[in-house]
């Protein structure tokens, strides 16, 4: 009997010690580690959390916000169905409205893409085929007309390294333009093979100049070198690491993580530089942190994730 009692006490003591060790390890646990292509270990980031949403003002509510861009001071939204661009401060408070419906300079039919570079704002109009250039305070300056080329259906835009990257949903191509309209590079053409597109909805550029294209109709992201050579595909339908259904907005952060709107799943999917799915942001719905038909995406200078939602007529902001 004494032997059984001693054994029971010993077992209980071991359980207590084990629990204490586990508790200590859990409290002092390290985040999981992944490896970049160069086999440099990096800590897997924590998914961003919902912070707030904004809908515009009662006098100027957003309707079908197709794209969002941002800089240190402001958030720019292509308010597509209202044929205007709305500018907000970092907290989502209205600052100004740019443009109105019409076919004159400074007016829009269906603004679809926005990009900002310092004091210059670029707006792509899917309806007219124009890219309009405005000053930061909303004054129309000129049309950016690619030399020797007529855009058919310019979509979302990106500005990086002194160049404007333009998606053309009519020609199924990506054009890289200088600020004065010289065509410096073009990618794609219609098809399903590597290097071809079917409705390239958005484009992003990383710190090294690599080009990322949200190839919406082919349900994937394609990655190209800075000089236009195909490199890899992320999230294709047959992929087991996280297929993208209707790739829409796209952005790349300073670590090389790729953020992609998967429109029909109402999520933003985040991949490492090798194309492995790390986590998803959002879920279908209209509550805080939920998304409905997300389309545009931007990362501001502080790393906040901005998502324009067509279904909820708002922009949602996520941050770590």
């Amino acid at each position: 009997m004494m032997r059984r009692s001693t054994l029971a006490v010993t077992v209980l003591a071991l359980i207590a010690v084990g629990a204490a060790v586990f508790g200590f390890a859990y409290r002092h646990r390290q985040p999981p580690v992944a490896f970049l292509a160069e086999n440099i270990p990096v800590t897997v980031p924590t998914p961003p959390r919902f912070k707030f949403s904004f809908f515009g003002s009662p006098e100027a509510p957003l309707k079908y916000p197709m794209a969002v861009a941002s800089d240190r001071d402001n958030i720019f939204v292509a308010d597509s169905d209202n044929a205007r661009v709305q500018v907000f401060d970092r907290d989502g408070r209205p600052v100004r409205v740019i443009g109105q419906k019409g076919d004159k300079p400074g007016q829009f039919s269906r603004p679809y893409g926005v990009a900002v570079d310092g004091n210059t704002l670029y707006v792509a109009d899917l309806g007219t085929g124009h890219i309009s250039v405005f000053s930061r305070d909303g004054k129309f300056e000129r049309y950016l007309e690619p030399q020797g080329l007529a855009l058919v259906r310019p979509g979302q835009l990106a500005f990086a390294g002194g160049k404007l990257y333009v998606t053309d949903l009519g020609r199924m191509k990506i054009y890289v333009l200088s600020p004065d309209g010289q065509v410096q590079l073009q990618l794609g053409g219609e098809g399903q093979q590597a290097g071809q597109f079917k409705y390239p909805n958005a484009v992003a550029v990383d710190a090294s100049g690599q080009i990322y294209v949200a190839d919406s109709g082919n349900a994937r992201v394609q990655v190209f070198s800075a000089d236009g050579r195909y490199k890899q595909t992320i999230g294709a339908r047959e992929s087991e690491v996280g297929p993208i259904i209707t790739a829409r907005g796209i952005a790349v952060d300073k670590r090389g993580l790729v953020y992609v709107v998967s429109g029909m799943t109402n999520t933003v999917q985040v991949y490492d530089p090798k194309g492995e799915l790390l986590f998803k942001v959002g879920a279908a719905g209209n509550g805080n942190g939920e998304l409905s038909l997300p389309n545009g995406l931007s990362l501001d200078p502080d790393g906040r994730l901005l998502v324009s939602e067509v279904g909820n007529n708002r922009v949602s902001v996520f941050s770590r």
Side-chain angles (χ1 to χ4, degrees):
M1 190 69 178
M2 180 66 69
R3 186 173 299 172
R4 289 184 180 178
S5 177
T6 301
L7 179 60
V9 170
T10 302
V11 170
L12 289 173
L14 288 173
I15 291 174
V17 170
V21 171
F22 176 80
F24 178 85
Y26 183 82
R27 289 191 302 273
H28 295 82
R29 69 192 185 282
Q30 297 296 318
V33 172
F35 290 83
L36 298 181
E38 299 84 359
N39 290 320
I40 301 173
V42 294
T43 303
V44 174
T46 302
R49 296 181 178 182
F50 173 80
K51 294 300 180 181
F52 64 93
S53 295
F54 59 92
F55 299 78
S57 68
E59 299 77 21
L62 295 171
K63 188 175 182 183
Y64 229 73
M66 295 299 294
V68 58
S70 56
D71 63 10
R72 178 65 62 185
D73 300 312
N74 293 116
I75 300 170
F76 304 82
V77 182
D79 189 5
S80 191
D81 264 18
N82 288 319
R84 62 194 179 195
V85 171
Q86 292 208 52
V87 185
F88 302 87
D89 68 14
R90 286 176 46 82
D91 298 317
R93 292 184 291 260
V95 174
R96 70 179 62 91
V97 172
I98 298 174
Q100 60 183 0
K101 193 169 185 64
D103 57 7
K104 297 179 180 179
Q107 298 178 336
F108 304 115
S109 169
R110 193 168 182 79
Y112 194 91
V114 287
V116 61
D117 172 47
N119 292 319
T120 303
L121 174 69
Y122 300 88
V123 184
D125 193 327
L126 192 69
T128 65
H130 290 307
I131 296 177
S132 296
V133 182
F134 294 85
S135 64
R136 188 181 186 85
D137 60 3
K139 180 182 178 181
F140 176 82
E141 295 183 342
R142 60 189 171 92
Y143 290 124
L144 177 61
E145 298 178 350
Q147 297 177 12
L149 171 70
L151 297 171
V152 178
R153 298 181 67 203
Q156 295 199 35
L157 307 173
F159 196 96
K163 303 173 186 177
L164 184 68
Y165 295 74
V166 183
T167 66
D168 191 329
L169 300 173
R171 297 184 184 275
M172 308 295 181
K173 289 188 175 184
I174 304 295
Y175 294 102
V176 183
L177 308 178
S178 66
D180 62 357
Q182 295 183 37
V183 180
Q184 299 188 344
L185 182 69
Q186 57 181 289
L187 307 174
E190 185 170 5
Q192 299 179 344
Q193 301 301 313
Q196 297 179 326
F197 307 128
K198 187 175 181 182
Y199 302 109
N201 195 69
V203 61
V205 184
D206 70 14
S208 69
Q210 287 193 138
I211 304 165
Y212 299 73
V213 180
D215 188 7
S216 187
N218 288 321
R220 64 189 179 187
V221 169
Q222 295 196 66
V223 185
F224 299 83
S225 64
D227 60 1
R229 291 176 290 107
Y230 169 81
K231 295 190 69 174
Q232 72 178 103
T233 292
I234 296 173
R237 281 193 183 93
E238 66 275 9
S239 172
E240 296 181 357
V241 300
I244 301 166
I245 304 176
T246 316
R248 308 297 289 177
I250 188 168
V252 186
D253 71 12
K254 296 176 182 178
R255 298 164 56 94
L257 302 184
V258 184
Y259 296 70
V260 188
V261 169
S262 180
M264 296 307 293
T265 63
N266 295 295
T267 59
V268 175
Q269 299 185 179
V270 183
Y271 298 83
D272 71 13
K274 296 173 67 177
E276 295 295 326
L277 180 65
L278 297 177
F279 54 81
K280 299 180 182 181
V281 178
N286 58 12
N288 291 342
E290 297 177 334
L291 304 172
S292 178
L293 298 180
N295 196 78
L297 186 152
S298 177
L299 291 169
D300 75 8
D302 292 329
R304 299 190 308 171
L305 175 65
L306 315 175
V307 185
S308 66
E309 303 176 56
V310 170
N312 286 326
N313 289 316
R314 68 185 182 186
V315 174
S316 289
V317 180
F318 298 81
S319 182
R320 294 189 175 91

